[in-house]
Amino acid sequence: MNPLTRDIADRIQRRLAYLYGDEAVPSLMRRLRMMMGRYGIGLEPVASPGPRWDENESILITYADSISTEGEAPLKTLHSFLNRHAKGAVRTVHLLPFYPWSSDDGFSVVDYRKVDSRYGEWSDIEHLGGDFRLMFDLVLNHCSRRSQWFRDFVVGIAPARDYFLPTDPKLDLSDVVRPRSLPLLTKTATRSGKKWVWTTFSPDQVDLNWQNPDVLFEFFDILFLYLAKGSAILRLDAVAFLWKEIGTNCLHLPQTHEVVKLFRDLLDVVAPGAVLLTETNVPHEENISYFGEGDEAHMVYNFALPPLLLHALLRNDGTHLTEWAAGLPDLPEGQTFFNFTASHDGIGVRPLQGLVDNSERDWLVGEVKKRGGRVSTRSMPDGSDSPYELNITYLDALSDLEDPELGLTRFLCSQAILMSLRGVPAVYIHSLLGTPNDQAGVEATGQNRSINRHQYDLGDLNAVLADGDSVQARVFARMLEWLGRRRNHPAFHPDAPMKVLDLGTGLFAYLRTSADGQEKIACVFNLTPEPVKVKPSDLDSSLSKAGETRDLLSGETIVTGPRKMITLPAYWGRWILAGSR
């Protein structure tokens, strides 16, 4: 056994001992080696395929059936649509849960090892993986009440009879952090009598018992399957709630972090090019704790970005956004942020905690309601409800109630910021398509989140995109253009440094510099409805010299010099090439 192998094996053993006790380690290590052997791998690291990401990386977030047409599996329809429109702009496709499910549009998983027949089959996903990198969800915290696991629990069949968390409802659970305004425990009739099971997110989503190593090994096996099917990024859904200990808040417990590190160690052995991504919709400092000491997640959702950016553009004031961006940590090579403005969920407001005061949060809630949005809440220890997320499309969240054109420009400004920040840009399909609020969807399902989960018929979508004057066609064309333009610029590498500039409350600006220092791109954005002029030298000293350069966003020529000014129209930005090889 070489030193690298010994080091990884020792780390795995230490983590297993911490979670399950020293006595369990020998049998658990034997079990792990046997499982890996079935997949033709051992505890010897395989060769790395190269960097996990570069400046060409971008991610599209989509459901398997966001676009469909009669007579064809939605996965095939999505594949052909993306091949036609998004090749060269999008590298990775995040397929939201495509497994059989019973609620929450996929996140109440019935069977982790199957593809829902309504979407297609594994071969459709593997074919998609031939043209795009893939990202899958590991829904770790809970599974569906309709799963075979839970059915076995109800009737008492091993091993799943011990996969869940029956809990005495008389216990004091008031310290437990709640993400919903729903009961924490749900009564269930079982063969051995009535039991109250832990249901953090909904009565249909039953929490798993991670204190049982059998649950860990189920997910090890699922992880190997997903890697074999082509997943390059593994998203750990709702991972912060994973481990439960009565008397604690059951959030971010040390054991939870240890499980994440254990998955990281395993990837280092079996798929060193794969990426582990944590999804924790919590205050910013708690969220970034999942980077660990460089030994935990490779990538962390940048949850503070969507509400802070929305606040800055609606307030016409980037003070909080600039302060936050300037305080982002310098991450070691191999760790970065997953930057996004919209996703299948709403815009979380918990990440604003400690960044803006509650009065500003409540103002933002009011602005979203004015634009047709909904607000989902969570239960507090005192029994009250507090805003948890804003349910609205990002396009409509940034709409101008009196000037639709100005609102469209403001939305596009937000996306130009997303694509140029340090980290990997991830675009939700309804931002790419400029989808408005789906109020009919909310009425049909009774779920707030349906407002941002519209499902398109391919023919209808093609008709909308063929109308070059429509808002959706204009958004679609611009987004694909910008995603394509940012490629091959090493200053936009996720690891490339970002220096945040303080140019006043109405501007948000930063300088991106390639790792070798040979390329610089000054990114500057006007957050106000009035034109603003900027001195080139305030962006970078190289721009104080007389000459010409390019704005990568528009393709326009920018004249620089000591007496020149750069004009930024209302809610507009520029990616100015400040230095290149």
Side-chain angles (χ1 to χ4, degrees):
M1 181 182 289
N2 65 45
L4 179 58
T5 303
R6 186 180 301 112
D7 178 60
I8 293 177
D10 286 348
R11 289 205 307 269
I12 291 173
Q13 290 184 77
R14 288 197 303 272
R15 301 198 198 289
L16 291 172
Y18 181 82
L19 294 170
Y20 304 113
D22 291 331
E23 292 182 359
V25 170
S27 64
L28 294 178
M29 287 300 293
R30 284 195 300 272
R31 186 174 176 181
L32 179 58
R33 291 180 187 277
M34 289 175 62
M35 176 180 284
M36 295 171 74
R38 290 200 302 271
Y39 283 88
I41 49 181
L43 277 179
E44 178 119 2
V46 300
S48 174
R52 292 185 176 89
W53 48 67
D54 60 23
E55 58 270 21
N56 298 301
E57 183 62 88
S58 60
I59 298 170
L60 176 69
I61 307 165
T62 181
Y63 284 101
D65 62 346
S66 289
I67 306 170
S68 61
T69 190
E70 189 174 353
E72 183 175 67
L75 280 164
K76 289 183 171 135
T77 306
L78 177 69
H79 187 182
S80 60
F81 181 85
L82 294 179
N83 266 350
R84 179 182 176 188
H85 296 288
K87 287 293 275 299
V90 170
R91 174 186 271 186
T92 300
V93 177
H94 173 199
L95 281 176
L96 291 159
F98 48 82
Y99 329 113
W101 55 276
S102 58
S103 65
D104 198 16
D105 288 342
F107 283 90
S108 185
V109 180
V110 172
D111 191 331
Y112 291 85
R113 295 176 171 91
K114 292 182 179 178
V115 175
D116 194 311
S117 60
R118 292 172 293 181
Y119 305 146
E121 52 193 37
W122 275 117
S123 62
D124 296 318
I125 291 174
E126 290 172 310
H127 290 153
L128 179 64
D131 291 307
F132 300 90
R133 292 213 317 164
L134 297 176
M135 172 173 158
F136 295 173
D137 287 274
L138 270 174
V139 185
L140 300 174
N141 181 71
H142 51 262
C143 67
S144 169
R145 290 180 67 87
R146 298 185 189 178
S147 66
Q148 189 62 52
W149 291 349
F150 193 70
R151 290 175 180 174
D152 287 351
F153 164 78
V154 168
V155 298
I157 297 175
R161 67 188 178 196
D162 298 315
Y163 279 15
F164 299 94
L165 291 157
T167 302
D168 184 350
K170 296 178 183 178
L171 291 172
D172 181 5
L173 302 174
S174 60
D175 288 338
V176 177
V177 172
R178 305 290 292 112
R180 299 284 186 273
S181 295
L182 293 168
L184 179 63
L185 303 179
T186 299
K187 185 165 63 175
T188 300
T190 74
R191 179 167 290 178
S192 58
K194 291 180 181 178
K195 294 184 179 180
W196 295 79
V197 293
W198 204 289
T199 52
T200 296
F201 289 89
S202 81
D204 187 52
Q205 294 166 293
V206 191
D207 289 36
L208 292 157
N209 177 18
W210 281 82
Q211 295 182 31
N212 178 355
D214 288 344
V215 171
L216 175 73
F217 276 81
E218 286 277 12
F219 280 97
F220 279 174
D221 188 69
I222 292 165
L223 172 72
F224 293 151
L225 172 66
Y226 291 175
L227 291 170
K229 295 298 184 182
S231 182
I233 304 177
L234 286 306
R235 175 185 182 270
L236 305 186
D237 175 68
V239 68
F241 300 90
L242 197 70
W243 201 276
K244 277 76 174 180
E245 289 283 353
I246 304 299
T248 74
N249 66 4
C250 298
L251 190 70
H252 317 308
L253 295 189
Q255 295 93 332
T256 293
H257 284 281
E258 208 68 15
V259 169
V260 177
K261 292 174 183 178
L262 189 51
F263 275 106
R264 164 76 177 262
D265 290 338
L266 203 55
L267 285 183
D268 284 347
V269 175
V270 303
V275 173
L276 199 65
L277 166 65
T278 51
E279 186 263 344
T280 55
N281 187 3
V282 293
H284 179 65
E285 291 302 321
E286 298 174 29
N287 182 42
I288 63 176
S289 71
Y290 285 84
F291 284 122
E293 298 295 327
D295 58 350
E296 204 162 338
H298 299 109
M299 200 183 296
V300 166
Y301 268 76
N302 211 345
F303 268 109
L305 177 61
L308 275 177
L309 185 53
L310 181 62
H311 178 272
L313 284 162
L314 292 180
R315 266 293 190 205
N316 310 138
D317 184 342
T319 301
H320 297 300
L321 179 64
T322 296
E323 289 178 351
W324 165 80
L328 289 173
D330 289 326
L331 299 171
E333 184 178 352
Q335 289 189 308
T336 195
F337 280 106
F338 180 95
N339 292 326
F340 72 113
T341 57
S343 73
H344 60 290
D345 290 338
I347 302 166
V349 293
R350 279 207 76 205
L352 291 176
Q353 185 177 319
L355 301 176
V356 303
D357 60 37
N358 285 346
S359 64
E360 286 298 300
R361 179 204 65 189
D362 293 343
W363 174 84
L364 188 62
V365 169
E367 291 298 304
V368 165
K369 287 181 176 179
K370 288 179 187 177
R371 291 163 171 81
R374 313 296 175 98
V375 180
S376 296
T377 61
R378 68 186 185 99
S379 296
M380 303 298 287
D382 62 4
S384 64
D385 289 335
S386 178
Y388 179 73
E389 68 177 22
L390 311 176
N391 303 113
I392 191 169
T393 68
Y394 216 72
L395 175 72
D396 276 354
L398 287 165
S399 63
D400 188 289
L401 301 177
E402 297 179 357
D403 187 343
E405 195 66 25
L406 203 59
L408 171 59
T409 304
R410 183 159 56 187
F411 168 75
L412 289 172
C413 180
S414 75
Q415 302 308 290
I417 291 172
L418 165 67
M419 294 179 198
S420 53
L421 283 171
R422 184 177 187 181
V424 171
V427 176
Y428 186 39
I429 193 164
H430 292 302
S431 292
L432 181 69
L433 297 173
T435 308
N437 288 336
D438 187 356
Q439 301 291 3
V442 176
E443 295 301 319
T445 66
Q447 302 295 320
N448 286 349
R449 286 176 168 178
S450 296
I451 201 168
N452 195 25
R453 295 180 178 179
H454 184 71
Q455 293 175 301
Y456 282 101
D457 172 79
L458 178 62
D460 293 341
L461 178 59
N462 284 337
V464 170
L465 298 180
D467 178 4
D469 293 329
S470 71
V471 167
Q472 290 193 239
R474 292 163 63 195
V475 167
F476 189 56
R478 185 72 77 170
M479 294 281 283
L480 290 174
E481 176 188 1
W482 287 350
L483 284 168
R485 284 188 180 179
R486 71 180 298 281
R487 292 169 64 92
N488 300 314
H489 283 283
F492 285 146
H493 191 293
D495 299 339
M498 180 176 78
K499 178 184 178 182
V500 177
L501 310 172
D502 188 355
L503 302 183
T505 61
L507 294 170
F508 182 47
Y510 41 88
L511 184 69
R512 299 296 309 277
T513 304
S514 61
D516 61 9
Q518 296 300 303
E519 182 181 66
K520 294 181 181 180
I521 300 174
C523 305
V524 57
F525 305 93
N526 180 4
L527 306 177
T528 76
E530 302 296 331
V532 174
K533 292 185 181 295
V534 179
K535 291 170 62 176
S537 59
D538 287 342
L539 301 174
D540 187 67
S541 59
S542 65
L543 297 175
S544 63
K545 301 172 185 177
E548 292 183 350
T549 188
R550 281 188 302 134
D551 170 17
L552 299 178
L553 271 180
S554 66
E556 297 173 2
T557 297
I558 299 290
V559 178
T560 62
R563 297 184 180 180
K564 298 294 182 180
M565 300 292 284
I566 298 172
T567 300
L568 294 170
Y571 298 125
W572 203 242
R574 298 192 184 278
W575 297 344
I576 301 170
L577 199 58
S580 61
R581 287 174 285 191

